[in-house]
Amino acid sequence: MGSVDTELLSSLFLLPDTIAIEAVYPTTAHLTVQAACILKSAACPLCQHFSERIHGSYERAVADVPCGGRRVTLTLMVRKFVCGTQECPRKIFTERLPALVQSYARMTNRLNEVLQTLGFATCGELGERLVPKLGMCASGPTFLRRMRAVSVLPPESVHILGIDDWAWKKV
Ligand SMILES: [Zn+2]
């Protein structure tokens, strides 16, 4: 695949600018999209200093939103960097891709949002039956976890608090 093809694919899949698609492996029901971060350096999550010293890499598979009715799996080549800060206790760190996927998550941010929306719109149970038809895969417990993740977000501050005018007995 030439560089023009990969740029076109990256724009079609609407991935963050820092992620480049290297290859796509299609089957009738599934797309495997191989991608990697194009930035030369990454910031240490502890001391925030950038490093270009690559220690190694590994492949991480995460589920993504469907494409043309087909399930999509992103196989991300994730790099490990050496932190160059002497005092930093973190000698090796893994690059983060927060615009695409959270640490340790098994699905992209956007697939998470789609499942949350479906879960709330269908009360979870119907969503479980609906997602295979939409090119996704999620069990009932997955829906519940996605919905609970939303419900534990801290509430915004209250500006105006109203109290209903109600009493057991009017005086
Ligand atoms: Zn560090």
Side-chain angles (χ1 to χ4, degrees):
M1 210 166 12
S3 62
V4 175
D5 291 336
T6 55
E7 281 178 25
L8 177 65
L9 281 170
S10 294
S11 66
L12 286 174
F13 277 93
L14 280 176
L15 294 177
D17 293 340
T18 54
I19 306 289
I21 291 177
E22 296 173 342
V24 178
Y25 303 102
T27 65
T28 49
H30 195 233
L31 285 179
T32 302
V33 179
Q34 200 174 313
C37 181
I38 57 172
L39 298 176
K40 285 187 176 172
S41 61
C44 171
L46 229 58
C47 68
Q48 309 302 322
H49 279 93
F50 281 83
S51 171
E52 290 187 13
R53 286 178 58 198
I54 295 172
H55 180 260
S57 61
Y58 66 94
E59 210 170 73
R60 178 180 174 195
V62 290
D64 195 16
V65 289
C67 180
R70 288 190 276 199
R71 284 174 59 188
V72 174
T73 300
L74 291 181
T75 53
L76 297 164
M77 190 55 72
V78 182
R79 299 166 295 176
K80 285 177 176 276
F81 288 85
V82 177
C83 181
T85 309
Q86 288 285 328
E87 309 81 44
C88 184
R90 185 75 56 87
K91 300 302 173 203
I92 307 288
F93 66 90
T94 304
E95 66 180 333
R96 309 280 164 102
L97 309 167
L100 181 66
V101 62
Q102 301 306 304
S103 300
Y104 306 106
R106 295 171 66 185
M107 63 180 69
T108 58
N109 299 337
R110 57 190 183 185
L111 178 57
N112 185 38
E113 287 170 18
V114 168
L115 292 179
Q116 282 173 342
T117 305
L118 264 174
F120 283 116
T122 63
C123 300
E125 197 174 307
L126 181 62
E128 187 180 1
R129 284 182 277 155
L130 195 62
V131 288
K133 292 177 173 54
L134 300 173
M136 293 178 280
C137 181
S139 63
T142 301
F143 272 110
L144 287 176
R145 278 196 302 274
R146 301 297 116 216
M147 292 160 75
R148 280 194 195 119
V150 172
S151 62
V152 295
L153 289 174
E156 291 180 19
S157 61
V158 178
H159 298 293
I160 301 168
L161 181 65
I163 300 172
D164 289 341
D165 183 17
W166 184 89
W168 282 108
K169 186 178 175 184
K170 295 280 183 190
V171 185

